[in-house]
Amino acid sequence: MKPLSEFSARDFAEHPDFRKWVQDPTPELNAFWENYRRTYPHQHLHILRAQALVRAIAEGPQFFPSDAQLSEMRQYVETHTAPQTPEIPTLRLLNRGWMVAAGILLLLTAGWLYWQQRPREISYDTIVAAAAEPLQEQTNLQNTIQNLTLPDGSTVSLAPKSRLSFSKKIGKQREVYLDGEAYFVVKRDPEQPFLVYAAETVTKVLGTSFTVRAFAGKPHIKVTVQEGKVSVSSRNNLSNNLKNTVLLAANQEATFVRDGEILVKSLVENPTKITARQKELIYTDRSAAEVLHDLEDQYGVALVYDEEALKKCFVTMSFSDEVFYERLRLLCRTIGAQYETIETQIVIKSHGCH
């Protein structure tokens, strides 16, 4: 077996302790793998790819027919593929019959798997009908955004062709039901979580701002966080037995893919500043590590790089009104580095400066 220092992303994903660390971490596993990452910084990229691979495999639904169901399929195949012509079939015809039967069995099995894995879209009307309390509905039939204030003081910007239902009174949990798109600014209240039910997703927050986009019939549901933190979960039906959950911070988003029922976490396309603190715009003979630290602090985006190596890369550069990725590309071009986005982190690949 190859040493850990030479593992590829696939090697990590196949390692049982690594998979356990990703899916069910313990203090001991956290300590081991964090120490490993500090000892072998060149393995950061492989580790991030392996983490994404393990999560994707874990989140992908897998359905298989039971023995009884397989037996029923086989009986059906045998009944519908019985030899029609000869009273005593030859061995060749018998083999051919079983080849046809096997082919039909495979088709039936594939069809059964597709039926089990088919997307089960939960409609807005079904969710609202199942609510425990009477709800008030706000529908935006205009071509402009409609602003409203909820009973708890939270505000909603409701997009055109969207509907929102909510209770007139505040209970133990603040719950709203969305069909379409809305931007929420939630009043913070640790005692009463705020939940947005949108088709097959449930978004839970205490106080933050975020956007939910969940139009009926569309292939994706998307939750984008502007400020604070939220959790997004998927579900198969109206029960609160949630399947997969991802935690999002500012400039991160979750996309629920209905065809496959997969919940994917990623960075937003154009990260925005999360702090009002003004960072330097002009860097004169400063290390690349300092510039990256400022970008990370201002935009809240996790940047993975070899800090010791980039401390030796000195740059003279200036920023004006560039967006985040333009600033990152400018820096990487200056020091001859490249970057790759993996889930919600950006890996800076550089051999340092000499």
Side-chain angles (χ1 to χ4, degrees), residues 20 27 45-46 48 50 56-57 63 83 94 97 103 107 112 184 199 232 251 270 280 285 302-303 312:
K20 181 173 176 58
L45 186 58
H46 291 318
L48 291 175
I57 293 173
F63 303 92
L94 184 61
L107 288 174
W112 188 91
F184 297 86
V232 182
N251 285 324
N270 292 306
E280 295 184 55
D285 200 24
L303 303 176
K312 302 172 184 177

Side-chain angles (χ1 to χ4, degrees), residues 168-221:
K168 293 182 180 180
K169 60 181 181 179
I170 303 174
K172 293 183 179 180
Q173 293 188 133
R174 299 171 288 171
E175 298 177 319
V176 300
Y177 307 84
L178 174 67
D179 174 32
E181 180 178 358
Y183 170 67
F184 297 86
V185 178
V186 176
K187 183 178 180 181
R188 182 171 178 78
D189 187 350
E191 301 300 322
Q192 293 179 312
F194 188 99
L195 292 96
V196 180
Y197 295 91
E200 298 94 295
T201 64
V202 180
T203 302
K204 181 178 180 180
V205 302
L206 297 177
T208 184
S209 58
F210 59 98
T211 300
V212 179
R213 183 179 177 86
F215 284 98
K218 296 296 182 181
H220 303 126
I221 299 170

Side-chain angles (χ1 to χ4, degrees), residues 269-290:
E269 184 176 354
N270 292 306
T272 57
K273 296 177 182 179
I274 64 170
T275 174
R277 295 194 304 273
Q278 184 63 45
K279 293 296 179 181
E280 295 184 55
L281 296 177
I282 300 176
Y283 295 87
T284 304
D285 200 24
R286 301 287 291 277
S287 76
E290 290 181 78

Side-chain angles (χ1 to χ4, degrees), residues 73-85:
M73 290 181 194
R74 180 170 179 173
Q75 290 176 9
Y76 177 88
V77 169
E78 290 177 344
T79 302
H80 289 77
T81 58
Q84 299 296 321
T85 309

Side-chain angles (χ1 to χ4, degrees), residues 65-197:
S66 65
D67 291 340
Q69 289 164 328
L70 278 175
S71 178
E72 291 177 5
M73 290 181 194
R74 180 170 179 173
Q75 290 176 9
Y76 177 88
V77 169
E78 290 177 344
T79 302
H80 289 77
T81 58
Q84 299 296 321
T85 309
E87 296 181 1
I88 305 177
T90 64
L91 179 61
R92 182 177 178 182
L93 288 176
L94 184 61
N95 287 338
R96 182 185 176 190
W98 271 106
M99 287 175 65
V100 172
I104 295 176
L105 178 59
L106 287 175
L107 288 174
L108 287 172
T109 303
W112 188 91
L113 289 173
Y114 175 79
W115 174 257
Q116 288 296 317
Q117 298 185 51
R118 71 194 187 284
R120 296 173 175 83
E121 184 171 326
I122 304 176
S123 72
Y124 166 83
D125 292 331
T126 302
I127 298 174
V128 169
E133 299 179 354
L135 302 176
Q136 174 181 334
E137 183 177 84
Q138 183 75 29
T139 302
N140 186 0
L141 300 177
Q142 304 172 5
N143 293 323
T144 58
I145 291 176
Q146 195 173 84
N147 297 310
L148 61 145
T149 301
L150 300 178
D152 71 323
S154 299
T155 61
V156 183
S157 298
L158 193 63
K161 301 179 181 179
S162 300
R163 295 181 289 174
L164 185 77
S165 288
F166 54 92
S167 175
K168 293 182 180 180
K169 60 181 181 179
I170 303 174
K172 293 183 179 180
Q173 293 188 133
R174 299 171 288 171
E175 298 177 319
V176 300
Y177 307 84
L178 174 67
D179 174 32
E181 180 178 358
Y183 170 67
F184 297 86
V185 178
V186 176
K187 183 178 180 181
R188 182 171 178 78
D189 187 350
E191 301 300 322
Q192 293 179 312
F194 188 99
L195 292 96
V196 180
Y197 295 91

